[in-house]
Amino acid sequence: MSTSTSSGRTPMLVLATVGFAVNFWAWALLSPLGPLFKEDLKLSAFQQALLVAVPVVVGSVGRIPVGALTDRFGGRVMFPLVSAVTIVPVLFLGTIGHGSLAALLIGGFFLGLGGTAFAVGVPFVNAWFPPERRGLAIGVFGAGMGGTAISALTTVKLVGSWGIQAPFMITAGALALYAVVAALTLRDAPGRVVPTGSVARRLADTVRLPVTWQASALYAVVFGGFVAFSVYLPAYLKTAYGLAQADAANRMAGFVLLAVVMRPMGGWLSDRVGPVRVLAVSLVVVTLGALAQVFTPSLAPVGTIAFLSMAAALGAGSGAVFALVALLAPANKVGSVTGVVGAAGGLGGFVPPLLMGALYGALSSYALGLAALVVVAVCSFAFTSTAVRRAVGVSRPRTL
């Protein structure tokens, strides 16, 4: 790439990361308020879990078409568009959409649009950076998932100080500001490969790529685990440990922040030692942390160590998955692959909260749900160490 291209990489990476963070901030607005809505609307544990899970599944499935559209139209068009459209459900929830479960589910459904920003940013950033630097670059972009931490740290406090409308109005303003700035300043990478053919045809080609399914399976575990904990941890901590709502939200924010910090670290390590090794170690740590938490140990120190260890591992593993995508996916299909993989990750985060809510409602215990995470992590480690290792070895032996 030319010198001018190199000098433009960092501003574009920063703008993309900010956009991801702002959209994820909006995407996560309902999670910290789950316990409040449960009390005010007399929701069951399953209804509360459904409320926080709906934006996750919509944002996940929506990444498939949005990723394909980003391949075609570029991040310069798609980032402002996604941000502007997300303003509508945010305003709806902040004004008339928080008075009933039905209205919250409708608003949450469209709030999921904010989660599709991930499928815009990965191909946008990928096109700006050379292969040997993509792991770190996409990891830095992925740190924008820290928008969920902004939501966790501010939403409950803003409601307490200024009322239920405050966090939604502020977030809508941030989305509008970003949409304008992005429309004026974002540029697609010079020489970006624009695919031909219809979106449906390109998606059909994408799902036939082995990397699509390998990365999807792994991302469903590592990022899905992060999403599941980030949306359900306040409810879990309040129910299992009797924490106050604000304390539970703050602890969830700590979990998210550590995962955010570790995501670029996972990408950076993948550039150096290969994504397979980073994923393998991450999955071992998740296995051990979930196994410890099956027994609901005291939070000080065992429970805290278990959760923070899992946060670090899930963050690093998420960064490693997209280092794998950057390594194996064709340049003109990165957006489409990202859309499918991102959808798998979000869907991986949709099921656990519902499962945990249903199991607790039936058994008054979260142990079985956490035991299921142990089994899934062990199976994922075996898959990484065999099939994924072989795929990377065939593509680029030096990365192993």
Side-chain angles (χ1 to χ4, degrees), residues 46-58:
F46 180 80
Q47 288 174 322
Q48 181 187 357
L50 180 64
L51 173 63
V52 299
V54 163
V56 173
V57 72
V58 175

Side-chain angles (χ1 to χ4, degrees), residues 312-386:
L314 293 169
S318 297
V321 169
F322 277 94
L324 185 71
V325 170
L327 186 68
L328 299 180
N332 65 342
K333 290 186 173 67
V334 170
S336 297
V337 173
T338 296
V340 177
V341 174
L347 290 172
F350 172 75
V351 176
L354 297 179
L355 180 64
M356 295 287 274
L359 287 173
Y360 189 83
L363 305 174
S364 298
S365 172
Y366 291 116
L368 192 57
L370 288 160
L373 176 57
V374 173
V375 174
V376 169
V378 169
C379 293
S380 300
F381 172 80
F383 177 62
T384 300
S385 302
T386 53

Side-chain angles (χ1 to χ4, degrees), residues 273-294:
V273 303
V276 169
R277 288 180 178 175
V278 177
L279 280 163
V281 172
S282 298
L283 290 165
V284 169
V285 174
V286 171
T287 300
L288 296 175
L291 184 61
Q293 201 57 35
V294 164

Side-chain angles (χ1 to χ4, degrees), residues 164-207:
I164 191 67
Q165 294 185 351
F168 297 95
M169 298 300 106
I170 292 171
T171 307
L175 285 165
L177 177 62
Y178 178 76
V180 171
V181 171
L184 295 175
T185 59
L186 275 184
R187 293 182 290 114
D188 288 311
R192 183 179 74 88
V193 180
V194 180
T196 58
S198 67
V199 170
R201 177 79 172 268
R202 287 185 282 114
L203 283 174
D205 291 340
T206 297
V207 298

Side-chain angles (χ1 to χ4, degrees), residues 19-28 63 114-115 118 144-145 147-148 223 226:
F20 183 27
V22 171
N23 279 277
F24 253 43
W25 176 10
W27 194 41
R63 290 174 188 175
F118 179 75
M145 67 187 189
T148 57
F223 185 72
F226 162 77

